[in-house]
Amino acid sequence: MKLSAEFVFESGEAEKIYMSVLPELNDAFSDRSLVGLSLEADGRLVLTVRAEDAVSMRSALNTWFRLIQIAQEVSELTAAAQ
């Protein structure tokens, strides 16, 4: 893969976010990109994206940023409702 990016998310809800989006890793969104997601021991969520070109990189990043954002928002809403 020609392009790569790594993003680290620090959140008190990192484990919940990780568990929420983990099933999405089983679905191949594109043959031109690879996505990795890990939960570090210190509670940080690490997103790694590798892609063949800028278009597939942008597409993968948009998809995963949105998935993580939605998981964060749902986690916050459920915590506030309790």
Side-chain angles (χ1 to χ4, degrees), residues 42-63:
D42 60 2
R44 298 182 310 156
L45 190 63
V46 179
L47 173 68
T48 306
V49 179
R50 296 185 318 172
E52 288 293 328
D53 53 65
V55 172
S56 57
M57 174 64 84
R58 180 187 54 78
S59 175
L61 289 175
N62 284 342
T63 297

Side-chain angles (χ1 to χ4, degrees), residues 20-35:
S20 296
V21 299
L22 188 60
E24 300 300 326
L25 284 176
N26 295 331
D27 295 335
F29 288 102
S30 171
D31 294 335
R32 299 181 334 207
S33 63
L34 296 172
V35 177

